[in-house]
Amino acid sequence: MIVQIERDLQEEINLFIKLKRKIKLKLKKNAIISSITLAFILGGSLGAKADSVLESISAYLDHSIKIKLYGTDFALKDSEGNKLEPINYNGSTYLPIRSVAEATGMKVKWDEESRTATLEKDSIVLANTTDKSGVKISIDGLWSPTYITDVKKIYSNWYMGVQFETTTIDKYGFKDNISRKIEELKKHSRIIEMKEIYVGDLKGTYIDREESDARIKMVFIESNNSDEYFTVEVFIEKSKYSDENNDAFDRVISTFARYR
């Protein structure tokens, strides 16, 4: 009887050891898979610099997480269409940048030399159309529409935006309309610079101004007809205005064109 009990106990111990080894092997496998997924998270190879920049970690593939994109179920996939899983590491969830970015309309560029991932969008064309004219500008960057009509477009991100508008001129004419606009702006803005410029072959009034929370550069452009004028405005959050985006307005206004 004692011998049988000892045999049963030994079998349970052996079973427990096997189970423990199996669990440990599974966790180790998940950690290895997670490391591989992290290494290839951008869809590219590790490259020659891998040994010097990569750090081994223990992480887990989290099969329980569901992702919705604009209310629709979304499956993470690599550039080859293979399914990917979210990674759980130290209580935080990590998603593959390329899969998420491209699903939201952004492109991901990978520079192996500097090991830099760049997210960007193609140029967006904003066009205003009336019975009298058709004009357009192009904008680059991670901006989304916040206001869209046939004659007015506003695109913005978390600190910068652009407004493009076609406005009907009342009976007082272009110069009087713009003069009244400027007087209104002076009530809540500090005018830094104001001058006459040409945008292509059209004359315009350029204004660089500052408000309590934003730096704004704009131009009122006289149309080739007497019934309307065009406004192009770039606004940047005051705390984010710097040399890096100082020429944002110039880049936008350089794309202004008439298409009819």
Side-chain angles (χ1 to χ4, degrees), residues 1 4 32 42 45 55 61 68 74 85 89 103 135 137 166 172-173 189 222 245 250:
M1 182 70 177
Q4 182 62 40
I32 292 172
L42 287 167
S45 62
E55 178 183 351
L61 298 179
K68 288 186 178 292
F74 173 67
E85 298 290 348
Y89 174 63
V135 289
I137 59 174
T166 299
Y172 297 102
S189 303
E222 192 170 359
N245 52 45
D250 297 328

Coordinates of all heavy atoms in Angstrom, one line a residue, residues 1 4 32 42 45 55 61 68 74 85 89 103 135 137 166 172-173 189 222 245 250:
M1 N 0.8 -1.2 0.0 CA 0.0 0.0 0.0 C 0.9 1.2 0.0 O 0.6 2.2 -0.8 CB -0.9 0.0 1.2 CG -1.9 1.2 1.3 SD -3.1 1.1 0.0 CE -4.1 2.5 0.4
Q4 N 2.5 1.7 -3.4 CA 1.6 2.2 -4.4 C 1.4 3.7 -4.2 O 1.4 4.5 -5.2 CB 0.2 1.5 -4.3 CG -0.8 2.0 -5.3 CD -0.3 1.6 -6.7 OE1 0.3 0.6 -7.0 NE2 -0.5 2.6 -7.6
I32 N 10.1 34.9 -27.4 CA 10.9 35.0 -28.6 C 10.1 35.5 -29.8 O 10.6 36.4 -30.5 CB 11.4 33.5 -28.9 CG1 12.4 33.1 -27.9 CG2 12.0 33.5 -30.3 CD1 12.8 31.6 -28.0
L42 N 8.3 47.4 -38.2 CA 8.2 48.3 -39.3 C 8.1 47.6 -40.7 O 8.0 48.3 -41.7 CB 9.4 49.3 -39.3 CG 9.3 50.3 -38.2 CD1 10.7 51.0 -38.1 CD2 8.2 51.3 -38.5
S45 N 14.0 44.7 -42.4 CA 14.9 43.8 -41.7 C 15.7 44.6 -40.6 O 15.6 45.8 -40.5 CB 15.9 43.3 -42.7 OG 16.6 44.3 -43.3
E55 N 17.6 45.6 -27.8 CA 17.7 45.1 -26.4 C 16.7 44.0 -26.2 O 15.5 44.1 -26.6 CB 17.4 46.2 -25.4 CG 17.4 45.8 -24.0 CD 17.1 46.9 -23.0 OE1 16.9 48.0 -23.5 OE2 16.9 46.6 -21.8
L61 N 2.4 38.0 -26.7 CA 1.4 38.3 -27.8 C 0.1 38.3 -27.1 O -0.2 37.3 -26.4 CB 1.5 37.3 -28.9 CG 2.8 37.2 -29.7 CD1 2.7 36.1 -30.7 CD2 3.1 38.6 -30.3
K68 N -10.9 48.4 -33.4 CA -11.8 48.9 -34.3 C -11.3 50.2 -35.0 O -10.7 51.0 -34.3 CB -13.2 49.2 -33.6 CG -13.9 47.9 -33.2 CD -15.3 48.3 -32.7 CE -16.1 47.0 -32.3 NZ -16.5 46.3 -33.5
F74 N -10.8 45.8 -37.2 CA -9.6 45.9 -38.0 C -8.6 44.9 -37.5 O -8.3 44.7 -36.4 CB -9.0 47.3 -37.7 CG -7.7 47.6 -38.3 CD1 -7.5 47.6 -39.7 CD2 -6.6 47.8 -37.5 CE1 -6.2 47.8 -40.3 CE2 -5.3 48.0 -38.1 CZ -5.1 48.0 -39.4
E85 N -0.3 40.3 -34.1 CA -1.0 40.4 -32.8 C -0.4 41.6 -32.0 O 0.8 41.8 -32.1 CB -0.9 39.1 -32.0 CG -1.5 37.9 -32.7 CD -3.0 38.0 -32.8 OE1 -3.6 38.8 -32.1 OE2 -3.6 37.1 -33.5
Y89 N 3.7 44.5 -23.0 CA 5.0 44.6 -22.4 C 5.0 45.5 -21.2 O 4.6 46.7 -21.4 CB 6.1 45.1 -23.4 CG 7.4 45.3 -22.8 CD1 8.2 44.3 -22.3 CD2 8.0 46.6 -22.8 CE1 9.4 44.6 -21.7 CE2 9.2 46.9 -22.2 CZ 9.9 45.9 -21.7 OH 11.2 46.1 -21.1
A103 N -3.4 52.1 -42.4 CA -4.8 51.9 -42.3 C -5.5 53.3 -42.2 O -6.7 53.5 -42.5 CB -5.2 51.0 -41.1
V135 N -10.3 77.7 -58.0 CA -9.0 77.9 -57.5 C -8.6 76.8 -56.6 O -9.5 76.2 -56.0 CB -8.9 79.3 -56.8 CG1 -8.9 80.5 -57.7 CG2 -9.9 79.5 -55.7
I137 N -5.3 75.0 -53.8 CA -4.0 75.0 -53.1 C -3.7 73.5 -52.8 O -4.6 72.7 -52.7 CB -3.9 75.9 -51.9 CG1 -5.0 75.4 -50.9 CG2 -4.1 77.3 -52.2 CD1 -4.9 76.1 -49.5
T166 N -13.2 81.2 -50.7 CA -13.7 82.2 -51.7 C -14.9 82.9 -51.2 O -15.9 82.4 -50.8 CB -14.1 81.4 -53.0 OG1 -12.9 80.7 -53.5 CG2 -14.5 82.4 -54.1
Y172 N -19.5 97.4 -52.2 CA -18.4 98.4 -52.0 C -17.1 98.0 -52.7 O -16.2 98.8 -52.7 CB -18.2 98.5 -50.5 CG -19.5 99.0 -49.8 CD1 -20.3 98.2 -49.0 CD2 -19.8 100.4 -49.8 CE1 -21.4 98.6 -48.4 CE2 -20.9 100.9 -49.2 CZ -21.7 100.0 -48.5 OH -22.9 100.5 -47.9
G173 N -17.0 96.8 -53.2 CA -15.8 96.5 -53.9 C -14.7 95.8 -53.1 O -14.8 95.8 -51.8
S189 N -6.1 91.3 -32.8 CA -4.8 90.8 -33.2 C -3.7 91.9 -33.2 O -4.0 93.1 -33.2 CB -4.9 90.3 -34.7 OG -5.9 89.3 -34.8
E222 N -7.0 89.3 -54.8 CA -8.0 89.9 -55.6 C -8.2 88.9 -56.8 O -7.3 88.5 -57.5 CB -7.6 91.2 -56.1 CG -8.6 92.0 -56.8 CD -8.2 93.5 -57.1 OE1 -7.1 93.8 -56.7 OE2 -9.0 94.2 -57.7
N245 N 8.6 75.7 -38.7 CA 7.3 75.9 -39.5 C 7.1 77.4 -39.9 O 6.0 77.8 -40.3 CB 6.1 75.4 -38.6 CG 6.1 76.0 -37.2 OD1 6.3 77.2 -37.0 ND2 5.8 75.2 -36.2
D250 N 4.4 80.1 -46.7 CA 5.0 80.2 -48.0 C 4.9 79.0 -48.9 O 4.7 79.0 -50.1 CB 6.5 80.6 -47.9 CG 6.7 81.9 -47.2 OD1 5.9 82.8 -47.3 OD2 7.7 82.0 -46.4

